[in-house]
Every structure is written in C-alpha cells, then in structure tokens.
Amino acid sequence: MDDEPVQQGLPATMNPLSMIAPAAKRTLSDVLRALPKKGVGCLVARDTWHPESGKYWEITKVEAKKEEGDKFDAWGYKYWKGQRTHKKPKQIASVWKYGWFWKLRSKEQQMFAAELAAFQNTQQSQSNNAQESKSA
C-alpha cells in the first residue's frame, strides 16, 4: 500500500477511507474495488461479526470473475480471536453478502489518521449542507 496513495477528491464510494465504516449494502467486491492493490494485504470484516470476536480475513489474492468483471473472487487467511484458523489461504465464500468493511491495522490507523479525520470532516460537512438545503 505504500506505493499507492490514498485517493483524494474521489466520490465517497470510491475513496478507500469510505470503506472503513460498515455499510448495509456493500459487498466484498465493492470494498476491494476501492482499496489499493484490490485489497491484497488488507484486513476485511463484516458488520455482523462482533468486534471483540477477532474475526476477520487477510486478503492474499483477488481475481475478477470471468462472467462478471466488476465482481471479484477473493482468497485469504481467516482469523478468529486474532488467530489464523488455517495454514493455507482459502477462498472467501461470502463475497456477495452485504456489510463488508476495511479493518485497519494499528499502523494503518496511524498512517491515515490525518487523512481519515479530513475525510470524516468532509463527509460531515456534505451531510450538514444537504440537510440545510432541504430545510431552506
């Protein structure tokens, strides 16, 4: 991820930082599409998994589906309670389910802290402006 900067000035749905918060109608393909290197090396989780469970996937490989180029198949290591559950990467079966998000590692949180704060402020400002224009 070091060689690909966070994309600024993009619509919220394409900015990688928008993938940090869970969203109800977001598949794993949506998340991977927005991340550098299609998410390889990143951690992802679903909003239905309790945060304290330590359940997440570390993405190791992503391929576009032949019949649907905008959707991906993904492989990786599954973690439970912070421990890897298998020795070799496995295909992620639930890529089509909703509620996926990018789970930042602590070093990524530090690296993106300023950009994340700016992104969140921009999102809040846009939300406030939309509410003000509705009430005017």
Side-chain angles (χ1 to χ4, degrees):
M1 288 184 20
D2 296 337
D3 55 325
E4 291 187 45
V6 173
Q7 302 161 5
Q8 295 179 352
L10 295 174
T13 57
M14 292 301 292
N15 189 314
L17 295 177
S18 69
M19 298 296 125
I20 294 169
K25 297 279 185 176
R26 185 186 302 140
T27 66
L28 183 56
S29 292
D30 297 332
V31 174
L32 298 176
R33 190 177 307 109
L35 295 177
K37 299 180 186 176
K38 298 288 188 254
V40 172
C42 293
L43 306 179
V44 293
R46 292 199 51 227
D47 59 3
T48 57
W49 300 342
H50 194 280
E52 293 178 16
S53 73
K55 186 175 180 180
Y56 56 89
W57 283 90
E58 178 182 4
I59 303 296
T60 60
K61 177 181 170 185
V62 176
E63 289 181 359
K65 290 188 175 197
K66 290 180 180 148
E67 61 277 358
E68 301 174 80
D70 63 331
K71 296 183 180 170
F72 299 116
D73 283 324
W75 290 260
Y77 295 108
K78 185 178 182 180
Y79 288 80
W80 175 254
K81 296 183 179 179
Q83 300 295 316
R84 191 181 285 183
T85 61
H86 40 80
K87 293 182 180 183
K88 294 183 180 179
K90 293 195 174 210
Q91 187 169 4
I92 301 172
S94 55
V95 296
W96 52 271
K97 290 185 177 180
Y98 293 130
W100 286 95
F101 64 95
W102 180 20
K103 179 179 172 64
L104 292 178
R105 293 178 167 108
S106 58
K107 75 173 188 181
E108 291 169 333
Q109 289 175 348
Q110 294 170 356
M111 182 171 45
F112 294 134
E115 291 160 319
L116 181 57
F119 177 76
Q120 290 171 332
N121 288 339
T122 300
Q123 294 300 105
Q124 185 62 42
S125 296
Q126 290 174 352
S127 176
N128 291 344
N129 290 342
Q131 289 175 354
E132 289 173 4
S133 64
K134 284 182 183 179
S135 61

